[in-house]
Amino acid sequence: MAQKKYLQAKLTQFLREDRIQLWKPPYTDENKEVGLALKDLAKKYSDKLDCCENEVEKIIEEIRCKAIERGTGNENYRTTGIATIEVFLPSRLRKDRKNLLETRLHITGRELRSKIAETFGFQENYIKIVINKKQLQLGNTLEEQGVTHNVKAMVLELKQSEEDVRKNFQVEEEEQNEAELKEKRIQRTKRGLEILAERAAEMVVDPETTPYLDITNQTGRSIKIPPSERKALMLAMGYHEKGRAFLKRKEYGIALPCLLDADRYFCECCRELLDTVDNYAVLQLDIVWCYFRLEQLECLDDAEKKLNLAQKCFKNCYGENHQRLVHIKGNCGKEKVLFLRLYLLQGIRNYHSGNGEEACEYLNKARQLFKELYIDPSKVHNLLQLGFTAQEARLGLRACDGNVDHAATHITNRREELAQIRKEEKEKKRRCLENINNLKGMGYSTHAAKQALHQASGNLEEALKILLSNPQMWWLNDSDPESSHQESPSQESIDQLVYMGFDAVVASTALRVFRGNVQLAAQTLAHNGGSLPPDLQLSGEDSSSTPSTSPSDSAGTSSASTDEDMETEAVNEILEDIPEHEEDYLDSTLEDEEIIIAEYLSYVENIKSATKKN
């Protein structure tokens, strides 16, 4: 298959260089049938490539037919508005994997999915459609999602076993249940990540009792991230980790939607932020790798762009020649695994594009790195005997150029260093939570406390001064202050403020503003010389408003409990796939890479042999 793609790409190059238009005479007659001149063209190119003439002729004919189909489709689109979509089916459908489907663009994504399912024999609810590297949104029209004429659509199956009409009903039902479970798993993934991202954005959970996600630099310390971007980055990294978990299990069809969602959320983060962590670069590699393993690289029109972006991000993050990385970590042995994957994918992409020399260069780079990164199994065994894990052994040996003693010391030191960092980070979070709770105890909302502490760089006294100087912050991200004033405070509360020396009318107004909170009312009046700031004054209408209570406030206890259990289940499912080791993404046995490097180098060698003969 790979060799055919190379031949297709190479012949397409020749046709462009020679400015040959296969859809015109003498290669196509007036009835759109193949012309005699195509055979001469096939002989010319087969001699040039030292390939079988019949095979070259067959591929040129495929290119010609595709060009005619595209021309017919373009004319049809201009006259009728009916667009043509090129549908790429799963790899199990080996024959005619590229198929054309005609449709109008004003239909919804759900209607297109239904049309694809009906045309190609899928069960509608068990497929996902990816167009322009995004999942098709079922409720929006194709036009709204940027779907255009001649676009490529990739079909992902949620069930991996082959559809077979000869299977009995029980087996078919089991397959459907499997697909439903996978769809539910995707939905739980989404919900679990949203919960964890919200916890990270809120930063008010107890690190000892509540699971949460954090973002760290290459040393393992937390990175300060603007609140406006924290949730997006957390979702991006969460989806990425979930996608990587599916990649490890070789469930590429489920992994890809997670990786594409991660890419979407990463794009909401600023460029400077992405340059501080290597996650975005690794994600680009994982997306291209996933398309490759699905045998759908041709659906990824910007594979080269993604690989170049990964290379640029690595450079920005690690420094020129990995200088910044070596300065921080003392070595760059483990990160070389990422560059091996990068060079391998660049080699594959160039090969599929007909660029034999460039493919050879990148594949040889990948092979050289593989030789450097290969680990003697006996050395891993020696470290296992010392109580280290296989993952720690691989990472340690690569960091220490294969020296077992140095690797053992490196792993031990890293364990101690990480334990200390985690202790410090947890203590920092506990202090932050304690400060928030102190401000909440004074009557301020969680969000107001968070923002004040953020502005005060965590200093409790400064945060309190900020809140007193800006009493309107009391409502930050809370309910609308205009709708939550109390009808009238209790006489006891008014008497308390009068006893402190405040005017009775002003005291009553302040208590309505602060919903009966005596402490906040007193602090604000004292800070402002016995009166309320103008922006907190109540209108006459406000002063006579009545509080509203909802009968549902005390209802639904059982439902709430069920929802909480479901949320806990969703979070735990996410956490199961979050690796304990912070460098898990750098760990690889390289078994797959070894096989693929050898396979594609053999293809390149065949090209070299043919070139020498010529």
Side-chain angles (χ1 to χ4, degrees), residues 107-170:
I107 67 170
T108 64
R110 181 173 281 101
E111 289 172 304
L112 178 63
R113 184 184 69 169
S114 177
K115 198 169 186 178
I116 288 174
E118 182 181 354
T119 303
F120 302 109
F122 296 106
Q123 295 182 58
E124 183 177 343
N125 293 328
Y126 306 144
I127 59 172
K128 286 187 178 292
I129 312 299
V130 175
I131 298 178
N132 294 330
K133 302 177 294 299
K134 295 177 183 176
Q135 286 189 67
L136 189 68
Q137 300 301 308
L138 301 182
N140 298 338
T141 67
L142 303 185
E143 287 176 324
E144 289 170 344
Q145 299 181 68
V147 177
T148 58
H149 174 57
N150 283 333
V151 77
K152 295 176 180 178
M154 183 170 70
V155 180
L156 297 175
E157 277 188 295
L158 292 182
K159 56 181 177 181
Q160 296 172 323
S161 53
E162 183 176 351
E163 295 276 1
D164 192 340
V165 295
R166 292 173 297 176
K167 288 183 177 180
N168 59 42
F169 177 78
Q170 183 180 357

Side-chain angles (χ1 to χ4, degrees), residues 432-483:
C432 178
L433 181 61
E434 186 179 320
N435 288 339
I436 289 171
N437 287 334
N438 284 335
L439 291 174
K440 285 173 66 179
M442 299 177 191
Y444 294 104
S445 71
T446 299
H447 297 283
K450 274 179 51 190
Q451 180 149 325
L453 284 166
H454 179 73
Q455 292 179 20
S457 300
N459 186 294
L460 182 60
E461 291 183 9
E462 289 299 317
L464 185 56
K465 289 179 183 177
I466 290 170
L467 288 167
L468 288 172
S469 301
N470 302 275
Q472 67 276 8
M473 287 179 67
W474 186 64
W475 292 299
L476 191 64
N477 284 353
D478 216 329
S479 57
D480 180 6
E482 294 298 317
S483 65

Side-chain angles (χ1 to χ4, degrees), residues 406-554:
H406 291 173
T409 303
H410 172 84
I411 298 168
T412 302
N413 291 342
R414 186 58 181 156
R415 279 183 174 183
E416 293 172 356
E417 181 185 348
L418 277 176
Q420 181 60 30
I421 289 173
R422 285 168 183 159
K423 182 180 177 181
E424 292 172 5
E425 292 295 330
K426 281 192 174 182
E427 181 59 31
K428 192 189 301 181
K429 284 181 171 59
R430 272 196 296 270
R431 284 198 303 270
C432 178
L433 181 61
E434 186 179 320
N435 288 339
I436 289 171
N437 287 334
N438 284 335
L439 291 174
K440 285 173 66 179
M442 299 177 191
Y444 294 104
S445 71
T446 299
H447 297 283
K450 274 179 51 190
Q451 180 149 325
L453 284 166
H454 179 73
Q455 292 179 20
S457 300
N459 186 294
L460 182 60
E461 291 183 9
E462 289 299 317
L464 185 56
K465 289 179 183 177
I466 290 170
L467 288 167
L468 288 172
S469 301
N470 302 275
Q472 67 276 8
M473 287 179 67
W474 186 64
W475 292 299
L476 191 64
N477 284 353
D478 216 329
S479 57
D480 180 6
E482 294 298 317
S483 65
S484 42
H485 301 139
Q486 293 187 359
E487 179 184 19
S488 60
S490 68
Q491 189 60 45
E492 182 183 354
S493 297
I494 295 173
D495 290 344
Q496 281 183 273
L497 291 177
V498 170
Y499 182 76
M500 295 178 194
F502 301 115
D503 179 79
V505 175
V506 175
S508 178
T509 304
L511 286 167
R512 283 199 301 276
V513 168
F514 291 107
R515 305 176 205 167
N517 189 307
V518 176
Q519 187 175 7
L520 272 180
Q523 288 175 346
T524 303
L525 291 174
H527 190 74
N528 290 277
S531 62
L532 284 173
D535 56 346
L536 294 184
Q537 298 289 346
L538 295 181
S539 64
E541 184 180 337
D542 293 324
S543 63
S544 62
S545 62
T546 58
S548 61
T549 58
S550 170
S552 63
D553 288 346
S554 59

